Amino acid sequence: MRKFILDLVERTVATYAAAFLGLLLADKFDLTSISSLKAAAVAALPAALTVLKGAVATRVGDSTSAALLGRPRE
């Protein structure tokens, strides 16, 4: 379970960072504007969807990973 949690946290943080930086770059990287705060809030949506996808992945793929890949063959 610990491996799964670490995997999911890494994926969620990476998704949030990518979405937030993408929105900031699209808005000309002005950290002092209100739109930066909106970008931070909007970037939380893909991160939340990553958590949901990770939860679904435990039922579909390997239960120790947040990936939708197939279960490892033994």
Side-chain angles (χ1 to χ4, degrees), residues 5-64:
I5 297 294
L6 290 174
D7 186 24
L8 187 57
V9 167
E10 177 188 350
R11 290 169 190 261
T12 303
V13 169
T15 301
Y16 180 82
F20 182 60
L21 289 174
L23 289 168
L24 280 181
L25 289 173
D27 191 36
K28 300 182 182 121
F29 214 86
D30 182 13
L31 289 174
T32 60
S33 71
I34 295 295
S35 58
S36 302
L37 296 175
K38 288 181 183 177
V42 169
L45 182 60
L49 291 174
T50 298
V51 172
L52 182 62
K53 179 241 170 210
V56 169
T58 62
R59 304 284 185 208
V60 175
D62 181 5
S63 64
T64 63

